[in-house]
Amino acid sequence: MTSSGIRVAQVGCGYWGKNLVRNFAEIGALAAISDGHEPTATKMSVDYGVPALDWTAILSAPAIDAVALATPAAAHAEMAIEAINAGKHVYVEKPLALNSADAGRIVAAAQAAGRTLMVGHLLHYHPIFNHMRKLVADGGVGAIDYVFSNRMSLGKFRTEENVLWSFAPHDVSMVLALVGEEPAQVTAQGAAFVTPGIADWATMQFVFPGGVRGHIQASWASPYKEQRLAVIGRDAMLVFDDTESDWGRKLALYRHGIDRTGSAPVAIKAEPEYIEVARGEPLKAECLHFIEAIASGTAPRSDGAEGLRVLKVLERGEAALAASLAR
């Protein structure tokens, strides 16, 4: 429960927005809700004991300090800038906008107005990823050679956005955070098997200025679900498997080695060491972080600048992917 007194209006209460409603309510920050589907708005208002307001009323309400947008991505830029200009702090579900130019306008507006801007890159608030990131930063795997992430499942098939745009923002965000720099090179390939022109399988490859390599694979035409992030270091390998049902086995350290003394290198395999991490709900941590950032005036972990970096990498991948589909 937060005692900051910051009051948030949740705008968009559908598939993902309803989870934000619940979490902002549980930490005592929910002031109002807004949804274009009247039955949903009415139910949320009754269930959580807060008023259902339209967008204009939210912008003009002095008791509302911030808005959280879980609206269609095409509306993010206009709504975020309107809210900032009305004096509100803003949380925007990923992606921050549909292009880096619009994202840049949001970031500039927030900076000019002195408002907190945060992007919903949920996995930055996952206890396992945070522990993984700290281990890597502290040299727990040695110098990084390679980072890769696989995010795959069967469906839900989109017809307006491709799998790279739908699935990869989380993975791009995590890879950039682990490596600590933006890639010098981005390439991508993919294929549209289900809907013509809409890639349902894609890979994106990175070369970073410091020499680290990486790739992301995304698919919604996979026979199995996989959400796995791995860091390959000189001393060890670290794997975050988010589909593992046993919390205690989600983060594994492999102290594999390579014997280079013979005529050919030989792998020396080791059993995984499972790392215990305290449980926590990532979305609740994310909502609390937004409130705390507003109250303290500090930049959120996934601030507008971070959201803009991710979009720029996605745009480079999107251009390469489009070229591969055209061949």
Side-chain angles (χ1 to χ4, degrees), residues 42-73:
T42 300
K43 185 178 188 309
M44 289 286 182
S45 176
V46 171
D47 288 351
Y48 291 96
V50 296
L53 305 176
D54 64 22
W55 180 236
T56 301
I58 286 172
L59 293 181
S60 61
I64 294 175
D65 305 294
V67 299
L69 302 177
T71 54

Side-chain angles (χ1 to χ4, degrees), residues 89-270:
H89 304 279
V90 177
Y91 168 103
V92 185
E93 257 311 317
K94 64 90 180 169
L96 177 56
L98 288 182
N99 57 70
S100 59
D102 280 345
R105 291 196 300 116
I106 303 171
V107 171
Q111 290 174 339
R115 300 290 90 181
T116 297
L117 173 62
M118 179 166 151
V119 185
H121 285 158
L122 180 65
L123 289 169
H124 276 277
Y125 305 93
H126 197 301
I128 302 288
F129 176 70
N130 285 332
H131 197 81
M132 182 183 200
R133 185 177 179 181
K134 186 176 187 304
L135 282 173
V136 170
D138 291 346
V141 299
I144 302 175
D145 284 330
Y146 192 71
V147 180
F148 71 85
S149 182
N150 291 334
R151 187 171 298 271
M152 302 186 291
S153 63
L154 182 60
K156 167 184 175 183
F157 297 105
R158 277 71 164 180
T159 57
E160 295 179 354
E161 61 183 11
N162 63 45
V163 70
L164 199 64
W165 196 259
S166 181
F167 276 17
H170 286 305
D171 304 286
V172 170
S173 181
M174 290 190 293
V175 169
L176 295 186
L178 287 166
V179 178
E181 56 186 4
E182 296 179 50
Q185 297 177 36
V186 179
T187 56
Q189 299 81 35
F193 301 114
V194 180
T195 303
I198 305 294
D200 37 53
W201 165 78
T203 64
M204 195 162 36
Q205 299 81 35
F206 311 110
V207 179
F208 291 91
V212 176
R213 303 293 181 108
H215 86 257
I216 290 168
Q217 180 172 210
S219 173
W220 56 49
S222 169
Y224 55 84
K225 185 174 183 178
E226 180 180 1
Q227 294 175 0
R228 187 174 293 160
L229 173 68
V231 179
I232 312 305
R234 303 280 174 87
D235 300 333
M237 303 174 184
L238 198 57
V239 179
F240 171 21
D241 184 353
D242 205 17
T243 54
E244 170 60 61
S245 58
D246 183 344
W247 180 274
R249 296 171 68 92
K250 281 183 177 288
L251 185 61
L253 181 73
Y254 294 83
R255 299 187 189 276
H256 297 321
I258 302 173
D259 182 354
R260 295 181 170 89
T261 58
S263 58
V266 177
I268 304 172
K269 297 182 180 180

Side-chain angles (χ1 to χ4, degrees), residues 268-289:
I268 304 172
K269 297 182 180 180
E271 291 299 313
E273 301 171 24
Y274 293 105
I275 300 170
E276 191 63 41
V277 179
R279 288 177 179 267
E281 184 179 353
L283 188 55
K284 183 165 288 183
E286 187 174 50
C287 291
L288 278 168
H289 188 75

Side-chain angles (χ1 to χ4, degrees), residues 11-15 33-45 52-53:
V11 183
C13 306
Y15 173 74
I33 60 94
S34 181
D35 194 274
H37 185 245
E38 188 174 340
T40 296
T42 300
K43 185 178 188 309
M44 289 286 182
S45 176
L53 305 176

